[in-house]
Amino acid sequence: AIDPQFEQSREVVEEHDGHRVWGPVEEPEELGIHGTHVAVDFDICLEDGACLEDCPVDVFEWVDTPGHPESERKADPANESQCIDCMLCVDVCPVDAIDVDPG
Ligand code: SF4
Ligand code: F3S
Ligand code: ZN
């Protein structure tokens, strides 16, 4: 599961489409965590898609990640500022790849 303390245990290594990426990143095998308020651990995400289907405000968009061992697409929190903290994505992700920090 994603480490809920990632803001303490990791460092921001880059920006992607307006959100932070928390390392380490070693492409293509190691991709880090994308987003902060809505954070997706790309190294855990296995392209289930429930988060994209269920988010009521369409926070997530697919991003291609060819060569990653878990899956070649990830749910990117491209619109994390739209999040309404319903926690649905956190509940439906089968591998607990998502952390949402309300407030
Ligand atoms: Fe979307 Fe709700 Fe998840 Fe926020 S908590 S990203 S609104 S599903
Ligand atoms: Fe990935 Fe979990 Fe969404 S596996 S696609 S973050 S439901
Ligand atoms: Zn991203």
Side-chain angles (χ1 to χ4, degrees):
I2 187 171
D3 174 9
Q5 304 301 319
F6 70 90
E7 288 175 78
Q8 278 79 53
S9 59
R10 294 175 179 237
E11 311 246 324
V12 176
V13 293
E14 58 191 77
E15 299 269 323
H16 176 240
D17 275 358
H19 55 262
R20 298 181 183 115
V21 179
W22 302 80
V25 171
E26 191 82 47
E27 292 180 11
E29 296 90 359
E30 196 172 22
L31 300 174
I33 291 175
H34 283 232
T36 303
H37 179 74
V38 180
V40 180
D41 191 326
F42 273 24
D43 295 310
I44 296 175
C45 172
L46 40 63
E47 200 184 340
D48 178 82
C51 58
L52 271 96
E53 285 168 29
D54 289 357
C55 177
V57 291
D58 294 333
V59 162
F60 305 99
E61 292 178 6
W62 289 120
V63 65
D64 291 327
T65 57
H68 190 269
E70 290 297 336
S71 63
E72 305 216 320
R73 255 184 348 167
K74 307 294 178 183
D76 196 33
N79 308 305
E80 68 174 344
S81 65
Q82 303 300 306
C83 176
I84 57 170
D85 299 336
C86 72
M87 307 307 272
L88 256 179
C89 58
V90 173
D91 292 340
V92 296
C93 178
V95 288
D96 292 331
I98 308 174
D99 181 65
V100 175
D101 206 0

